[in-house]
């Protein structure tokens, strides 16, 4: 649980700090640079001190409070809330944000990364209803690379490149094997993701 929280907190903070820059014309395509752990806005201590504090916290936010929070604390607070939220509550948050047209990419990536670890089918169905199915497959590729690739090829092959991209970013050894097994999943996006993983794994070799 704590490792998941740490990952989500770093992700939320990195996006809030601008460490993830993406081409909005191509969903879930993050830059190949590995983000540094950011400082909480206004923090004077070490960069990871606010993350250490958050590991001891529990969210007291409601869905309404999260949706109405438009400050720089929204993503970190949403991260804490997600850790104790049920899948039904996550769906309620998603639909509320969607109805308000506030499912911007930093928010939906954060939600989907957590959601696909617990209910990937529910996450994909909700994302499909919102017209952003690709990022849900990308998030599932991070959480369960083998099953995500097997499922996407069988059910939604048009999103196979997104899954392979994610696997390349987070599970490079698996991605290289799947790339040879499923060349039909290769695209600019997936190759870029694999290159990102190779550079992170061994900067001198990519």
């Amino acid at each position: 649980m704590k490792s998941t929280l740490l990952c989500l907190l770093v992700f939320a903070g990195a996006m809030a700090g601008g460490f993830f820059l993406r081409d909005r014309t191509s969903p879930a395509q993050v830059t190949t640079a590995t983000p540094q752990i950011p400082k909480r806005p206004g923090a004077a201590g070490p960069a990871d001190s606010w993350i250490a504090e958050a590991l001891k916290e529990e969210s007291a936010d409601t869905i309404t409070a999260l949706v109405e929070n438009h400050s720089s604390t929204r993503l970190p607070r949403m991260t804490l809330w997600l850790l104790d939220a049920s899948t039904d509550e996550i769906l309620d948050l998603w639909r509320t944000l969607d109805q308000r047209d506030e499912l911007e990419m930093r928010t939906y990536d954060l939600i989907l990364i957590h959601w696909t670890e617990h209910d990937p089918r529910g996450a994909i169905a909700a994302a499909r209803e919102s017209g952003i199915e690709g990022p849900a497959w990308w998030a599932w590729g991070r959480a369960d690379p083998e099953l995500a690739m097997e499922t996407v090829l069988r059910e939604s092959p048009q999103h196979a490149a997104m899954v392979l991209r994610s696997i390349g970013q987070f599970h490079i050894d698996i991605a290289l094997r799947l790339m040879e097994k499923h060349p039909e999943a290769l695209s600019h996006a997936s190759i870029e993701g694999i290159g990102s993983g190779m550079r992170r794994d061994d900067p001198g070799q990519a």
Side-chain angles (χ1 to χ4, degrees), residues 112-196:
L112 290 170
I113 283 175
H114 179 77
W115 201 353
T116 52
E117 289 191 350
H118 302 279
D119 181 19
R121 293 290 192 175
I124 290 168
R128 184 183 297 121
E129 290 178 2
S130 301
I132 47 176
E133 183 178 352
W137 286 104
W138 173 84
W140 193 15
R142 173 195 170 276
D144 194 339
E146 301 274 9
L147 183 57
M149 179 58 77
E150 175 186 334
T151 306
V152 76
L153 288 171
R154 184 177 63 250
E155 299 181 7
S156 298
Q158 71 273 24
H159 295 298
M162 295 298 289
V163 174
L164 185 56
R165 176 186 177 84
S166 176
I167 298 171
Q169 290 171 310
F170 299 104
H171 310 280
I172 185 60
D173 291 340
I174 297 175
L176 293 173
R177 173 166 51 80
L178 291 176
M179 178 179 67
E180 295 184 1
K181 186 177 180 181
H182 302 290
E184 68 274 21
L186 286 174
S187 70
H188 175 76
S190 58
I191 291 171
E192 189 178 56
I194 291 168
S196 169

Side-chain angles (χ1 to χ4, degrees), residues 29-142:
Q29 294 188 13
V30 300
T31 59
T32 56
T34 301
Q36 301 174 13
I37 296 176
K39 290 185 179 181
R40 170 185 278 170
D48 60 350
S49 62
W50 69 272
I51 295 177
E53 291 176 17
L55 290 171
K56 304 174 184 178
E57 296 179 7
E58 292 184 5
S59 174
D61 281 312
T62 63
I63 290 176
T64 299
L66 290 171
V67 169
E68 293 180 353
N69 180 357
H70 295 284
S71 74
S72 62
T73 67
R74 186 189 216 185
L75 291 179
R77 289 175 65 171
M78 190 176 293
T79 299
L80 290 177
W81 181 88
L82 284 167
L83 265 294
D84 295 316
S86 68
T87 54
D88 286 342
E89 289 172 327
I90 296 173
L91 178 59
D92 286 344
L93 173 63
W94 180 276
R95 286 177 171 168
T96 302
L97 289 168
D98 195 16
Q99 290 168 0
R100 291 175 173 235
D101 197 26
E102 293 186 15
L103 271 178
E104 50 89 24
M105 68 182 155
R106 295 182 305 168
T107 301
Y108 66 61
D109 276 354
L110 178 64
I111 295 172
L112 290 170
I113 283 175
H114 179 77
W115 201 353
T116 52
E117 289 191 350
H118 302 279
D119 181 19
R121 293 290 192 175
I124 290 168
R128 184 183 297 121
E129 290 178 2
S130 301
I132 47 176
E133 183 178 352
W137 286 104
W138 173 84
W140 193 15
R142 173 195 170 276

